[in-house]
Every structure is written in structure tokens, then in C-alpha cells.
Amino acid sequence: MNEDNNFRLDELPPEHPMRQHPFAAPDGYFDTLPSRVQARVMHRPKPAFSISWSWQRTTASLVGASLIALLVWQTLPQRQESLPSEALAGVSNDVITAYLDEQGINADELADGQQLHSSLGNDTTAIQYLNVQPADIQQHIKDEVLSDNSNVGS
């Protein structure tokens, strides 16, 4: 390839094919172009968004919503209410004791634990649960102070 073939278009003669315009437009074409484009745009209707509801689509929607509700109802854990006293009235103490023995639970410890949890579950304090009087606490503190003082002097 020869890289010295540089030339300028204005140096070519006017009848040379390289100086001719490659495209030709009819006379007045660009004068009327904006009005023709605008006329096409204005006459084209905008498509409206619409969903046609048929009985099939309505049925499918209801079936889907029902299926979701059924799955939610089935997967949520059921809350177990406490047994009514009538249901427990028919159970004898021997059966309850046998059940606790099978489970390895001492009935006395269970009763003490339930009493402790029920008393501490409300707004009472542990001191009120133990039935300790303020005078007893102060007497105990005095005794402790006296015993500490007697140990220091020995």
C-alpha cells in the first residue's frame, strides 16, 4: 500500500465522482420534514394499559389466594391452651405420681419450683417470699458486725 496517495477534495475537478454528493433528496424535502414527523407522532394513539378480567383469571386468583391461606394456616404452630380442670379431674393422683416417676421428676421439687416461680413471677421480692422481717435483717447485720469485731481482736 502506498501511503502517499493523500489528496484534497477541493483540488479535484468539479465533475469528478468523488466531489459529487452521494445522496440526493427531492426538492423541498427537508422543508416539509418537521411537519410530516409531527403529524405522524400526533396521530398515533397511545396504547392504554388494560387487563381483561375473565372468569378464568378470577378463578385462578381465588384458588391461588386460598392455597396461600391454607399453607400459612397449616405451617403456623398451633397454640396449646391449658387443660380445663374437668379434663384433669378424671386423672387420679396415683397416675400423676407414676408419670412423674417415669419422667424422673420429684413431686416435692416440682411443687417447690412452681411455688417459687409463681411467687417471683409477680411484683413481689424474694425477701417477701421468705417472710423475713426488716427487724430480723438488722439483728442479723448486728450479729455479723459483732462476730467480725470479735475475730479482729483475737
Side-chain angles (χ1 to χ4, degrees):
M1 294 203 119
N2 189 0
E3 294 184 19
D4 294 331
N5 287 340
N6 295 335
F7 62 92
R8 291 178 49 126
L9 284 179
D10 57 353
E11 293 175 355
L12 293 175
E15 58 275 354
H16 192 277
M18 296 275 296
R19 288 213 47 197
Q20 303 300 319
H21 292 290
F23 302 104
D27 291 333
Y29 176 79
F30 291 104
D31 295 336
T32 60
L33 181 64
S35 61
R36 286 189 314 211
V37 169
Q38 208 167 22
R40 279 186 181 175
V41 171
M42 292 177 80
H43 291 299
R44 188 174 293 167
K46 291 183 180 179
F49 180 75
S50 67
I51 296 177
S52 61
W53 283 98
S54 62
W55 68 270
Q56 293 98 345
R57 184 171 286 184
T58 303
T59 304
S61 298
L62 290 175
V63 168
S66 300
L67 181 64
I68 290 172
L70 178 70
L71 290 174
V72 167
W73 183 73
Q74 287 293 325
T75 57
L76 288 178
Q78 298 295 325
R79 182 170 175 235
Q80 182 178 355
E81 299 292 329
S82 61
L83 295 174
S85 60
E86 298 87 33
L88 294 177
V91 180
S92 69
N93 289 341
D94 296 332
V95 173
I96 294 173
T97 306
Y99 174 77
L100 293 175
D101 288 339
E102 286 176 11
Q103 299 299 319
I105 300 172
N106 185 353
D108 295 329
E109 290 176 4
L110 180 66
D112 290 342
Q114 287 178 346
Q115 185 179 8
L116 177 65
H117 288 300
S118 66
S119 67
L120 294 178
N122 53 20
D123 291 336
T124 62
T125 62
I127 293 176
Q128 291 172 339
Y129 169 72
L130 295 174
N131 279 333
V132 177
Q133 300 298 323
D136 295 336
I137 295 172
Q138 291 193 0
Q139 181 62 39
H140 181 71
I141 292 172
K142 286 179 186 177
D143 293 341
E144 286 292 319
V145 170
L146 290 176
S147 66
D148 287 343
N149 288 340
S150 65
N151 289 340
V152 172
S154 340

